[in-house]
């Protein structure tokens, strides 16, 4: 059980701890070693969270004992109490903080990868009061649990010019579903097409407002479906996959695999934008020709930025909480399809790795019993 690192920290008793795709990559040992300097062993896995304040430090003023809270898991300068803050944090780009390895805390970007602070796959974790967001009574635990991944999807839409009116979401797991929700919440009139692997994923996306769902299980015929939606033309090269002329204003890559990136490059229109939201690592075999041929813009997005706009930070967690309380809570909370106590971690992981059989979207460890 973690100890409070300082007087402005609180201990949180976990209620639900989500299983993220990046957590599953840890289990599979498929995470890129490039991120290893920004973690510290041993650590407790888990950053998707909702819990209850069980202990507060002497200088905590923002939360009280018994409050239900969600922690923004990032551990940037202000949480590490580093002054002055780094150039990234000074402009609100806290997810790309330059001091994740500095200060009194062990090295780590966030809760769930850092020694000494715990994680939401454990009964308790600790958080600086600046990380904590009180959950209103109107939101259930499931909706609150989804705030962290929801904020991840809001981040690229608030940090940069939002994707255009015709957007392709590639991947229909939790991140893809939340991409649909974020797009429709911020711009209800935008047109969203979802490229999904399974029919149940498509049904979930349609419930969140997706205008079109195309299933990749139909083989390469999904190329024709996407072209019909955009009104573009498919051109056949001498060898390899067809290339698309025209296409979507933007694509959001929400699946960490080669095919997802390849499809985004092919089906985004010239001078359009590709957002890499999934934890994309090594992708052998991707044909990058469309990147330069179409002059595409490709952006990575690691999550929860607070970019300054006219001197005022656009805080993705605060915006996400506002949207959830304004009507999106029930829809987003419904994506939590499976809950298991921690002692049943093996069945819980089996559900995640067998989604085609279990129809799982978000699986969570449940500590409420």
């Amino acid at each position: 059980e973690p100890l409070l690192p300082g007087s402005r920290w609180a201990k949180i008793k976990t209620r639900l701890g989500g299983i993220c795709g990046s957590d599953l990559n840890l289990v599979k040992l498929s995470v890129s070693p490039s991120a290893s300097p920004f973690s510290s062993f041993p650590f407790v896995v888990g950053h998707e969270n909702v819990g209850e304040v069980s202990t507060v430090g002497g200088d905590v003023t923002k939360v009280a004992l018994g409050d239900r809270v969600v922690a923004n898991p990032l551990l940037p300068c202000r949480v590490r109490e580093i002054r002055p803050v780094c150039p990234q944090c000074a402009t609100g780009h806290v997810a790309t903080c330059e001091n994740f390895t500095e200060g009194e805390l062990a090295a780590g970007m966030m809760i769930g990868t850092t020694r000494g602070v715990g994680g939401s796959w454990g009964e308790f974790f600790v958080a600086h009061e600046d990380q904590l967001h009180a959950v209103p009574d109107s939101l259930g635990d499931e909706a609150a649990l989804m705030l962290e991944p929801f904020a991840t999807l809001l981040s690229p839409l608030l940090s940069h010019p939002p994707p255009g009116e015709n957007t392709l979401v590639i991947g229909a797991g939790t991140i893809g579903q939340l991409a649909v929700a974020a797009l429709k919440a911020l711009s209800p009139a935008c047109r969203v097409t979802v490229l999904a692997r399974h029919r149940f994923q498509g049904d979930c996306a349609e419930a969140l407002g997706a205008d079109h769902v195309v299933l990749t299980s139909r083989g390469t015929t999904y190329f024709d479906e996407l072209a019909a939606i955009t009104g573009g033309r498919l051109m056949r090269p001498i060898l390899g996959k067809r290339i698309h002329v025209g296409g979507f204003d933007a694509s959001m890559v929400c699946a960490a695999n080669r095919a997802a990136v390849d499809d985004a490059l092919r089906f985004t229109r010239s001078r359009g934008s590709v957002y890499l939201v999934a934890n994309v690592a090594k992708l052998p075999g991707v044909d990058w020709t469309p990147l330069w041929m179409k002059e595409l813009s490709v952006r990575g997005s690691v999550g929860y930025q607070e970019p300054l706009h006219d001197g005022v930070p656009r805080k993705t967690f605060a915006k996400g909480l506002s949207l959830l309380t304004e009507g999106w809570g029930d829809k987003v909370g419904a994506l939590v399809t499976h809950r298991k106590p921690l002692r049943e971690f093996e069945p819980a992981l089996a559900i995640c790795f067998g989604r085609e059989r279990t129809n799982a979207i978000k699986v969570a460890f449940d500590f409420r019993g």
Side-chain angles (χ1 to χ4, degrees):
E1 185 174 328
L3 302 175
L4 297 183
S7 62
R8 295 188 62 200
W9 289 69
K11 184 178 292 186
I12 313 302
K13 188 178 189 301
T14 311
R15 292 179 64 81
L16 291 174
I19 301 177
C20 177
S22 61
D23 300 330
L24 295 174
N25 288 335
L26 283 173
V27 174
K28 294 188 296 183
L29 299 180
S30 61
V31 175
S32 168
S34 296
S36 61
F38 308 100
S39 60
S40 49
F41 290 89
F43 62 81
V44 177
V45 180
H47 54 275
E48 297 176 350
N49 67 89
V50 58
E52 185 176 301
V53 177
S54 65
T55 306
V56 293
D59 293 324
V60 171
T61 61
K62 297 181 179 179
V63 295
L65 290 176
D67 284 355
R68 198 162 51 110
V69 294
V70 172
N72 177 337
L74 278 180
L75 301 171
C77 287
R78 71 168 184 262
V79 172
R80 294 174 174 273
E81 299 189 355
I82 294 173
R83 297 291 186 273
V85 300
C86 72
Q88 295 296 322
C89 287
T91 57
H93 295 94
V94 291
T96 47
C97 171
E98 297 176 6
N99 285 323
F100 285 135
T101 60
E102 308 304 315
E104 296 299 320
L105 289 180
M109 291 181 65
M110 62 176 62
I111 292 168
T113 66
T114 305
R115 183 177 66 246
V117 296
S120 63
W121 288 19
E123 294 87 346
F124 295 91
F125 61 93
V126 294
H128 192 280
E129 65 174 336
D130 282 353
Q131 295 174 272
L132 297 174
H133 297 260
V135 178
D137 293 339
S138 60
L139 284 185
D141 285 341
E142 284 76 10
L145 176 69
M146 300 303 285
L147 174 57
E148 184 276 335
F150 190 41
T152 299
L153 271 301
L154 290 172
S155 182
L157 304 181
L158 295 175
S159 301
H160 309 294
E165 292 185 354
N166 202 7
T167 303
L168 175 63
V169 173
I170 302 176
T174 301
I175 296 300
Q177 302 292 342
L178 291 174
V180 176
L183 286 162
K184 287 295 185 177
L186 294 175
S187 181
C190 71
R191 299 187 301 279
V192 179
T193 298
V194 176
L195 199 55
R197 181 176 296 177
H198 307 295
R199 182 65 258 176
F200 77 91
Q201 294 174 325
D203 293 340
C204 287
E206 287 172 345
L208 290 168
D211 299 276
H212 303 281
V213 170
V214 176
L215 299 180
T216 59
S217 57
R218 294 171 184 165
T220 55
T221 59
Y222 75 83
F223 273 42
D224 299 292
E225 294 181 61
L226 292 176
I229 290 168
T230 65
R233 306 193 315 277
L234 287 168
M235 312 294 288
R236 188 175 295 280
I238 296 172
L239 295 171
K241 295 180 181 178
R242 290 174 289 175
I243 192 76
H244 189 251
V245 178
F248 296 89
D249 298 309
S251 294
M252 302 187 74
V253 179
C254 301
N257 58 62
R258 179 196 59 76
V261 174
D262 198 73
D263 286 343
L265 297 176
R266 290 176 187 277
F267 281 95
T268 305
R269 64 164 173 80
S270 294
R271 305 187 65 80
S273 298
V274 175
Y275 292 81
L276 301 181
V277 183
N279 188 4
V280 176
K282 299 176 181 179
L283 301 171
V286 172
D287 183 353
W288 294 97
T289 303
L291 175 62
W292 59 263
M293 184 181 291
K294 296 183 178 184
E295 297 190 354
L296 299 174
S297 296
V298 179
R299 288 187 178 274
S301 179
V302 71
Y304 345 118
Q305 302 284 17
E306 300 175 359
L308 299 179
H309 182 70
D310 294 332
V312 178
R314 292 180 171 178
K315 296 188 176 183
T316 53
F317 256 75
K319 182 63 175 179
L321 189 58
S322 174
L323 291 171
L324 292 179
T325 57
E326 290 170 4
W328 282 90
D330 289 343
K331 293 179 180 180
V332 167
L335 296 175
V336 183
T337 55
H338 294 73
R339 305 154 196 81
K340 290 286 184 182
L342 185 62
R343 64 180 178 274
E344 297 182 24
F345 71 92
E346 288 175 313
L349 295 176
I351 290 170
C352 295
F353 290 126
R355 296 182 191 276
E356 68 280 1
R357 301 186 305 275
T358 61
N359 288 5
I361 301 292
K362 174 58 63 183
V363 184
F365 290 119
D366 194 336
F367 296 87
R368 297 172 295 185

